[in-house]
């Protein structure tokens, strides 16, 4: 069955926040609400987040839902159109977790699905990595999304968290390494910019000390 392009208006959403800001829980709550209202939706997640061995989206608070994997070479436009044709109808919502791991091309493909079929695509993810640099997927979402919302959370000092700091087993900030290293509270701590700056300075000062006799 061929699904014709629609004149209805969809939107591309980007909801971002630091680690621990309940992004995944919000996605799962949204999916539950859609289900209660009998609305068609699909949950997706980049396979690069390999903490789960099965295709599920799981929140830290324990709720989970089945999802479709997104691979680095997945054509999102082709994948979703084939899904629509298989189901024989357009889905109203596409919910994507960990969207910072999408490629820029995949974000472009999602935007084209929104424009051609009027489907709403809501992406949840991080803004920046542990070195405060934008992820590829996040950058493109900031450039293309119709609606951008920040999911706010609070640093231990009371300020708003901004930085996803990578830490070692002693809680010290790690300044170098690969951009992507999957982990939870054992490897990352969300901080405000001031706390991150102070911890970074402490780490740099410690590293500059000469312990040789």
């Amino acid at each position: 069955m061929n699904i014709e392009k629609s004149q209805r208006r969809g939107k591309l959403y980007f909801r971002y926040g630091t680690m621990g800001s309940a992004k995944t829980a919000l996605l799962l709550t949204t999916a539950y609400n859609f289900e209660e209202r009998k609305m068609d939706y699909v949950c997706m997640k980049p396979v690069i987040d390999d903490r789960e061995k099965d295709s599920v989206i799981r929140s830290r608070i324990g709720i989970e839902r089945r999802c479709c994997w997104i691979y680095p070479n997945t054509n999102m436009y082709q994948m979703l159109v084939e899904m629509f044709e298989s189901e024989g109808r357009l889905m109203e919502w596409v919910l994507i977790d960990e969207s910072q791991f999408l490629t820029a091309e995949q974000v472009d493909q999602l935007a084209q699905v929104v424009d051609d079929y009027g489907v709403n695509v809501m992406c949840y993810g991080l803004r920046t990595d542990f070195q405060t640099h934008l992820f590829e997927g996040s950058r493109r979402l900031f450039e293309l999304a119709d609606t951008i919302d920040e999911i706010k959370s609070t640093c231990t000092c009371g300020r708003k968290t901004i930085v996803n700091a990578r830490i070692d087993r002693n809680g010290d900030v790690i300044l170098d390494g690969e951009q992507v290293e999957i982990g939870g509270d054992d490897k990352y701590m969300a901080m405000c910019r001031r706390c991150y700056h102070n911890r970074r300075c402490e780490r740099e000062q410690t590293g500059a000390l000469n312990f040789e006799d």
Side-chain angles (χ1 to χ4, degrees), residues 157-168:
C157 72
R159 295 181 177 85
K160 185 181 73 171
T161 58
I162 293 177
V163 182
N164 301 295
R166 185 178 294 170
I167 57 175
D168 61 20

Side-chain angles (χ1 to χ4, degrees), residues 173 175 191 193-209:
V173 170
L175 303 178
M191 302 178 185
R193 186 173 54 248
R194 180 177 179 180
C195 286
Y196 175 71
H197 174 75
N198 290 339
R199 288 211 188 193
R200 179 169 181 165
C201 288
E202 290 173 5
R203 186 58 184 262
E204 290 174 340
Q205 290 168 2
T206 300
L209 292 176

Side-chain angles (χ1 to χ4, degrees), residues 22-35 41 43 56-67 95 97 124:
K23 299 181 301 300
T24 299
L26 286 172
L27 181 153
L28 294 171
T29 301
T30 300
Y32 174 79
N33 289 335
F34 288 163
E35 196 168 279
Y41 72 93
C43 293
V56 297
I57 295 174
R58 180 176 289 119
S59 170
R60 298 183 185 198
I61 62 176
I63 55 177
E64 64 181 54
R65 190 167 292 268
R66 301 288 299 184
C67 69
L95 306 177
D97 196 29
Y124 294 78

Side-chain angles (χ1 to χ4, degrees), residues 155-189:
C155 180
T156 54
C157 72
R159 295 181 177 85
K160 185 181 73 171
T161 58
I162 293 177
V163 182
N164 301 295
R166 185 178 294 170
I167 57 175
D168 61 20
R169 64 180 60 187
N170 297 318
D172 295 324
V173 170
I174 296 174
L175 303 178
D176 300 305
E178 296 294 326
Q179 183 183 53
V180 177
E181 183 175 333
I182 303 302
D185 294 338
D186 59 326
K187 291 186 178 180
Y188 292 94
M189 178 183 293

Side-chain angles (χ1 to χ4, degrees), residues 1-208:
M1 177 178 180
N2 291 324
I3 298 293
E4 295 183 358
K5 294 182 179 180
S6 174
Q7 294 301 314
R8 69 183 189 181
R9 296 180 180 178
K11 282 188 176 182
L12 176 61
Y13 298 80
F14 183 35
R15 307 193 71 185
Y16 71 93
T18 54
M19 297 185 72
S21 60
K23 299 181 301 300
T24 299
L26 286 172
L27 181 153
L28 294 171
T29 301
T30 300
Y32 174 79
N33 289 335
F34 288 163
E35 196 168 279
E36 288 289 292
R37 294 157 61 185
K38 311 298 182 186
M39 299 171 65
D40 282 337
Y41 72 93
V42 61
C43 293
M44 296 182 161
K45 179 181 177 181
V47 76
I48 192 171
D49 183 357
D50 58 2
R51 284 171 291 181
E52 304 297 342
K53 302 305 179 185
D54 200 2
S55 54
V56 297
I57 295 174
R58 180 176 289 119
S59 170
R60 298 183 185 198
I61 62 176
I63 55 177
E64 64 181 54
R65 190 167 292 268
R66 301 288 299 184
C67 69
C68 298
W69 285 138
I70 300 171
Y71 295 90
N73 61 348
T74 297
N75 183 311
M76 296 303 301
Y77 188 91
Q78 180 180 348
M79 181 184 188
L80 286 167
V81 171
E82 289 177 355
M83 190 178 296
F84 301 154
E85 292 179 349
S86 175
E87 294 291 330
R89 64 185 185 279
L90 292 174
M91 291 183 179
E92 297 178 67
W93 289 88
V94 177
L95 306 177
I96 301 178
D97 196 29
E98 305 288 5
S99 60
Q100 71 272 8
F101 295 137
L102 296 171
T103 66
E105 185 177 12
Q106 287 172 330
V107 175
D108 288 344
Q109 293 160 358
L110 288 170
Q112 195 63 45
V113 170
V114 172
D115 295 341
D116 286 353
Y117 293 95
V119 174
N120 294 293
V121 177
M122 187 173 289
C123 298
Y124 294 78
L126 302 174
R127 176 174 63 172
T128 57
D129 62 20
F130 76 106
Q131 293 179 322
T132 70
H133 300 149
L134 285 170
F135 284 97
E136 178 182 347
S138 303
R139 179 188 299 276
R140 195 62 179 142
L141 282 164
F142 274 117
E143 293 169 342
L144 287 184
D146 298 291
T147 299
I148 299 172
D149 297 311
E150 182 180 13
I151 303 170
K152 298 178 181 179
S153 61
T154 306
C155 180
T156 54
C157 72
R159 295 181 177 85
K160 185 181 73 171
T161 58
I162 293 177
V163 182
N164 301 295
R166 185 178 294 170
I167 57 175
D168 61 20
R169 64 180 60 187
N170 297 318
D172 295 324
V173 170
I174 296 174
L175 303 178
D176 300 305
E178 296 294 326
Q179 183 183 53
V180 177
E181 183 175 333
I182 303 302
D185 294 338
D186 59 326
K187 291 186 178 180
Y188 292 94
M189 178 183 293
M191 302 178 185
C192 69
R193 186 173 54 248
R194 180 177 179 180
C195 286
Y196 175 71
H197 174 75
N198 290 339
R199 288 211 188 193
R200 179 169 181 165
C201 288
E202 290 173 5
R203 186 58 184 262
E204 290 174 340
Q205 290 168 2
T206 300

